[in-house]
């Protein structure tokens, strides 16, 4: 029986240019979350938790209209982008 890891896509940026992209680690991080390894998932891709919070809020907002939802979505999106860029920069520096 095959596991979800067998179907993960390779990073074309890493294959072509030789260095990670800003999304490298997301698939493995989600796989780690699926297996209940929260700390390992965060270490693999720190933006996984803000990203999940953003998607959950957007999904909930479809069914339940929240007051100030645009501000909340924008704040979560900006937080996610900052974490993605920050973790990518730290990965490049170290």
């Amino acid at each position: 029986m095959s596991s979800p890891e067998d179907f993960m896509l390779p990073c074309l940026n890493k294959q072509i240019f030789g260095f990670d992209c800003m999304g490298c680690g997301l698939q493995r991080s989600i796989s780690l979350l699926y297996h209940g390894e929260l700390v390992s998932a965060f270490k693999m891709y720190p933006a996984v938790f803000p990203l999940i919070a953003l998607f959950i809020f957007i999904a909930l907002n479809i069914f339940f209209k929240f007051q100030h939802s645009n501000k909340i979505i924008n704040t979560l999106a900006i937080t996610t982008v900052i974490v993605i860029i920050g973790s990518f920069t730290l990965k490049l520096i170290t």
Side-chain angles (χ1 to χ4, degrees), residues 41-53:
F42 177 77
K43 288 180 181 178
M44 181 66 62
Y45 194 73
V48 71
F49 293 114
L51 195 60
I52 289 173

Side-chain angles (χ1 to χ4, degrees), residues 9-94:
L9 299 171
C11 178
L12 293 176
N13 189 56
K14 190 168 187 172
Q15 288 181 344
I16 294 171
F17 300 114
F19 58 90
D20 292 344
C21 69
M22 288 189 193
C24 279
L26 179 60
Q27 293 179 95
R28 289 173 284 163
S29 178
I30 292 173
S31 176
L32 289 168
L33 279 178
Y34 178 74
H35 294 300
E37 300 179 30
L38 302 177
V39 174
S40 297
F42 177 77
K43 288 180 181 178
M44 181 66 62
Y45 194 73
V48 71
F49 293 114
L51 195 60
I52 289 173
L54 174 64
F55 287 144
I56 288 173
F57 184 79
I58 290 172
L60 286 174
N61 194 43
I62 291 171
F63 300 108
F64 310 105
K65 298 300 179 191
F66 294 102
Q67 194 174 28
H68 307 294
S69 61
N70 288 338
K71 285 185 179 182
I72 295 169
I73 290 172
N74 287 339
T75 302
L76 286 171
I78 290 169
T79 302
T80 303
V81 169
I82 288 171
V83 172
I84 290 171
I85 293 172
S87 63
F88 178 70
T89 305
L90 284 174
K91 189 188 299 185
L92 287 178
I93 292 172
T94 58

